[in-house]
């Protein structure tokens, strides 16, 4: 990911926030050819020194058939993003796009059966806990869960490189910056989300 210095971030907490809020991300590999799969990803946040991402894809997926321990993959997370109209500036310029993104290169370690079970349990708990009638892995029945696990290809991804980009009109003068926020706040949820992110830059 190309990151001009103005938009580069090394904020570990921002990275965690982007991943938490946008965890349906792209798993990209190039073992035999470029392959990409959208997958649910969870970040192990317990220890910054032992940070890793855990995810799973279908075992029937051709990408799964190519991956083995030690292979490099890229996890691509797109955070808040929206269109920025050049009509919001007080001068002639081009339109653009404001966004936050995280890209993590890492080495994979394939999960064993116990690790995959714990991963699915954590993943389900995260998204089911807010449901009116949550369905947890532990309540699905051992036989059913073990049958479903046969179709899942689980992996842990240990980062080798982390890139965090926050492009939020930092290159604009104050008048234009505030005008962009005002216009975004009149728009859709994506625009309002980016407007809030921009306001946070000024705090």
């Amino acid at each position: 990911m190309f990151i001009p210095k103005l938009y580069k971030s090394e904020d570990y907490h921002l990275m965690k926030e982007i991943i938490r809020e946008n965890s349906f991300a792209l798993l990209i590999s190039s073992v035999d050819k470029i392959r990409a799969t959208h997958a649910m990803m969870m970040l192990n946040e317990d220890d910054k020194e032992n940070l890793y991402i855990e995810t799973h894809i279908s075992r029937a997926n051709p990408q799964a058939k190519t991956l083995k321990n030690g292979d490099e993959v890229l996890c691509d997370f797109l955070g808040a993003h929206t269109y920025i109209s050049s009509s919001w500036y007080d001068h002639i310029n081009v339109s653009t796009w404001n966004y936050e993104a995280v890209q993590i290169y890492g080495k994979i370690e394939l999960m064993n059966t116990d690790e995959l079970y714990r991963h699915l349990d954590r993943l389900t708990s995260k998204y089911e806990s807010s449901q009116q009638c949550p369905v947890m892995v532990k309540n699905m029945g051992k036989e059913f869960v073990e049958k479903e696990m046969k179709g899942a290809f689980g992996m842990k991804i240990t980062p080798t490189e982390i890139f965090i980009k926050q492009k939020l009109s930092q290159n604009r003068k104050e008048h234009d910056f505030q005008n962009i926020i005002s216009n975004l706040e009149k728009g859709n949820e994506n625009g309002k989300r980016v407007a809030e992110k921009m306001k946070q830059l000024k705090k």
Side-chain angles (χ1 to χ4, degrees):
M1 175 166 58
F2 172 62
I3 311 180
K5 186 176 180 179
L6 186 61
Y7 306 136
K8 184 178 181 179
S9 173
E10 296 183 357
D11 186 341
Y12 176 72
H13 297 290
L14 174 64
M15 179 199 72
K16 292 197 298 181
E17 177 186 311
I18 292 172
I19 293 176
R20 269 200 312 268
E21 295 179 358
N22 307 276
S23 52
F24 191 58
L26 267 177
L27 176 73
I28 302 167
S29 62
S30 58
V31 176
D32 58 337
K33 61 185 290 187
I34 298 174
R35 299 181 185 272
T37 300
H38 287 97
M40 290 302 308
M41 299 188 186
M42 292 184 67
L43 181 67
N44 167 38
E45 302 181 31
D46 297 336
D47 184 353
K48 183 177 179 180
E49 299 304 318
N50 295 305
L51 182 76
Y52 65 85
I53 293 169
E54 55 183 60
T55 187
H56 72 279
I57 60 178
S58 170
R59 193 168 287 277
N61 187 325
Q63 188 175 22
K65 298 179 186 301
T66 69
L67 293 174
K68 61 185 184 302
N69 281 325
D71 283 343
E72 183 179 58
V73 294
L74 170 61
C75 301
D76 183 69
F77 302 86
L78 177 61
H81 64 98
T82 194
Y83 177 75
I84 304 298
S85 171
S86 61
S87 67
W88 300 341
Y89 307 144
D90 64 4
H91 59 288
I92 299 296
N93 209 308
V94 296
S95 300
T96 187
W97 209 272
N98 276 4
Y99 65 97
E100 294 180 323
V102 170
Q103 287 189 340
I104 297 179
Y105 289 88
K107 302 288 186 179
I108 71 167
E109 178 186 342
L110 304 185
M111 292 181 181
N112 59 36
T113 302
D114 290 340
E115 289 171 332
L116 178 58
Y117 180 91
R118 289 194 294 271
H119 161 67
L120 296 175
D121 184 44
R122 284 192 293 267
L123 186 65
T124 303
S125 296
K126 176 180 179 180
Y127 292 100
E128 281 292 319
S129 59
S130 61
Q131 301 301 314
Q132 186 174 356
C133 300
V135 179
M136 302 300 185
V137 167
K138 63 183 180 182
N139 299 324
M140 292 180 181
K142 182 179 179 182
E143 184 176 345
F144 173 81
V145 174
E146 289 179 347
K147 178 183 177 183
E148 293 299 309
M149 283 173 57
K150 292 178 181 177
F153 184 84
M155 66 196 88
K156 294 192 292 185
I157 302 161
T158 302
T160 54
E161 291 183 283
I162 298 175
F163 299 96
I164 308 167
K165 186 171 185 177
Q166 193 175 41
K167 180 182 179 292
L168 298 175
S169 298
Q170 296 98 319
N171 60 328
R172 300 301 171 189
K173 59 186 179 182
E174 186 64 19
H175 173 76
D176 286 339
F177 189 88
Q178 295 301 329
N179 199 42
I180 292 169
I181 291 175
S182 296
N183 279 277
L184 290 177
E185 289 179 330
K186 300 172 187 175
N188 59 26
E189 288 305 310
N190 281 344
K192 292 174 182 177
R193 190 175 171 204
V194 170
E196 185 59 34
K197 293 281 189 175
M198 290 175 65
K199 287 191 287 187
Q200 289 175 12
L201 287 180
K202 297 296 183 177
K203 291 181 178 179

